[in-house]
Amino acid sequence: MTASLTEQTEHTEPGAAAEFTRAEARTAHNYHPLPVVVAHAEGAWMTDVDGRRYLDLLAGYSALNFGHSHPRLLETAHAQLDRLTLTSRAFVHDQFADFTAKLGDLCGKELVLPMNTGAEAVETALKVMRKWGYEVKGVAADQAEIIVASGNFHGRTTTIVGFSDDPDARDGFGPFAPGFVTVPYGDLAALEAAITPRTVGVLVEPIQGEGGVVIPPAGYLTGIRGACTRENVLFAADEIQAGLGRTGRTFACDHEDVVPDLYVLGKALGAGIVPVSAVVADRDVLGVLKPGQHGSTFGGNALACAVGSAVVDLLATGDFQRRSAELGEMLRERLEAMVGHGVVGVRVRGLWAGVDVDPAVGTGREVCEALMARGVLAKDTHGSTIRLAPPLVVSEADLAWGLDQLAAVVSGA
């Protein structure tokens, strides 16, 4: 369908080819990047070391919801860099109170526990749910169970990959921590049947991003909320990719008017400038943690809090959520029109889409290589599925052009 990866790399301009080869020579190969070397980015566009421009339809796995080099966010970061970056949590800095109050209000929750990466936030949520289970629910020591869903992706720590069913994430990294029960994603009856007196929490993604933007059946999140309330179990929603405007609402749970006990946030919270993550919950949940029981040297640092506060300010306007919803309708219409023309299925929620390409056309990797040759950057996932997650600032014309390139690739034009 298109030139091989090797052939494309060989035909890349000399500067990019040399930089790509140099980078690959001295890094552990835990990633398989496309052979593009980015030097500058603004809005929804990235420019490589040879001056070639690419439309970004990945947005750093939703970390760049507000685009590259957003002026207000950069201004905030620059100003904070000149003042203070880190104190550790041994002291309090002057950005901390505003950030925690703003993020707590955005979530409608009382307390915020800031961390750095998404995986750290998930680990934090797991610890909090277990401790709550022992101290509040009264589960016997070391007997707590947390229900998770098949097809999940919550990060890559040894605890988290232990309840993954993706062999690439899991194989070769055991032994794994006990205490996790896996049920089929989207199967509410199976989840309800798995709840026992030892169950302290349910951890799910309201939409599974790594799985290919898998959207559960209507009523699934509502049903989880009801079951958790009924059975005295905590509901933790991993909104690290799905949240903060990506799906056309502030949180993906908002599509069913569901409020979890714990929001697990990351990626876009740091705007692609600095890693920022958080667990947000009420006092009766996060209050189980006492000094010395959990922490992070960089968690809640001054630079992160300044940028995070500015991100929350942008979301508070509602403009990005509306833009995601409106452009998402165009994205849906254009992708659905490709079904039967090189595409066999699509799933769209806001500006987030999973596209199942006909395997006869090529693998997801091959499709992304062909898109790269046309000036569009996207990311494959399992098999022949690719994910699209453009920055929420993308223009309608640019998005339409990017989708034109996808239509040409999958149709063999």
Side-chain angles (χ1 to χ4, degrees):
M1 60 163 288
T2 185
S4 70
L5 175 59
T6 301
E7 290 168 338
Q8 287 194 36
T9 303
E10 289 172 350
H11 287 88
T12 304
E13 292 296 325
E19 282 297 302
F20 183 81
T21 300
R22 208 159 64 89
E24 288 291 278
R26 297 300 297 272
T27 183
H29 291 166
N30 58 320
Y31 281 91
H32 186 197
L34 291 170
V36 59
V37 182
V38 179
H40 176 76
E42 185 173 356
W45 289 87
M46 298 194 287
T47 304
D48 74 5
V49 293
D50 296 310
R52 185 179 183 190
R53 298 179 76 228
Y54 297 88
L55 181 63
D56 181 4
L57 295 187
L58 178 63
Y61 303 99
S62 293
L64 290 155
N65 281 3
F66 309 100
H68 299 270
S69 305
H70 189 286
R72 181 172 174 183
L73 298 174
L74 282 185
E75 180 182 1
T76 298
H78 286 149
Q80 189 60 42
L81 278 168
D82 289 334
R83 297 180 59 252
L84 176 71
T85 57
L86 178 69
T87 63
S88 85
R89 290 294 305 280
F91 316 107
V92 177
H93 56 77
D94 63 355
Q95 300 297 310
F96 195 77
D98 279 349
F99 172 63
T100 54
K102 287 178 180 180
L103 183 57
D105 289 349
L106 184 75
C107 298
K109 298 291 186 183
E110 294 173 328
L111 298 182
V112 172
L113 201 171
M115 300 297 286
N116 305 288
T117 67
E120 283 181 281
V122 172
E123 287 276 2
T124 300
L126 297 176
K127 289 175 70 175
V128 168
M129 287 190 287
R130 283 177 169 176
K131 200 162 195 299
W132 176 90
Y134 298 133
E135 296 187 358
V136 178
K137 186 173 181 177
V139 174
D142 298 332
Q143 297 301 305
E145 292 180 347
I146 293 172
I147 296 173
V148 297
S150 61
N152 70 74
F153 182 84
H154 297 287
R156 296 190 185 276
T157 66
T158 51
T159 296
I160 293 170
V161 300
F163 55 80
S164 169
D165 51 19
D166 179 355
D168 285 340
R170 179 185 174 94
D171 290 356
F173 300 114
F176 300 116
F180 298 97
V181 177
T182 302
V183 298
Y185 185 66
D187 188 335
L188 181 60
L191 187 149
E192 291 175 329
I195 295 175
T196 74
R198 297 187 301 277
T199 306
V200 299
V202 172
L203 171 68
V204 297
E205 300 156 274
I207 297 173
Q208 290 188 332
E210 183 71 18
V213 190
V214 179
I215 302 171
Y220 179 62
L221 301 177
T222 303
I224 294 176
R225 175 68 280 174
C228 288
T229 300
R230 233 177 11 253
E231 302 292 339
N232 193 27
V233 169
L234 295 179
F235 175 17
D238 180 346
E239 294 258 10
I240 292 168
Q241 283 198 59
L244 307 181
R246 172 54 57 190
T247 67
R249 304 288 294 272
T250 302
F251 303 109
C253 284
D254 293 345
H255 289 278
E256 292 196 15
D257 296 322
V258 163
V259 178
D261 297 296
L262 301 93
Y263 286 102
V264 185
L265 305 175
K267 294 197 184 292
L269 194 56
I273 297 173
V274 62
V276 185
S277 66
V279 174
V280 188
D282 282 332
R283 195 174 304 275
D284 60 349
V285 175
L286 276 179
V288 300
L289 291 178
K290 301 299 185 290
Q293 294 178 345
H294 190 62
S296 166
T297 299
F298 283 85
N301 68 76
L303 180 60
C305 287
V307 172
S309 288
V311 164
V312 176
D313 288 343
L314 293 179
L315 288 168
T317 69
D319 294 342
F320 291 91
Q321 296 91 321
R322 285 189 291 273
R323 183 171 185 80
S324 177
E326 291 166 3
L327 287 180
E329 285 306 306
M330 188 264 274
L331 177 64
R332 180 192 305 278
E333 291 173 5
R334 289 294 307 274
L335 291 176
E336 288 180 348
M338 296 181 201
V339 175
H341 303 278
V343 170
V344 296
V346 298
R347 296 164 299 282
V348 183
R349 183 62 59 87
L351 273 179
W352 204 17
V355 183
D356 299 329
V357 177
D358 186 337
V361 172
T363 65
R365 172 75 185 199
E366 288 170 335
V367 170
C368 289
E369 290 172 1
L371 284 171
M372 183 192 73
R374 289 174 168 268
V376 175
L377 297 179
K379 184 66 176 73
D380 59 296
T381 181
H382 309 287
S384 293
T385 298
I386 66 169
R387 290 168 287 174
L388 303 179
L392 308 186
V393 298
V394 67
S395 72
E396 184 173 352
D398 287 346
L399 180 58
W401 177 82
L403 293 172
D404 288 343
Q405 308 317 303
L406 176 60
V409 167
V410 298
S411 67

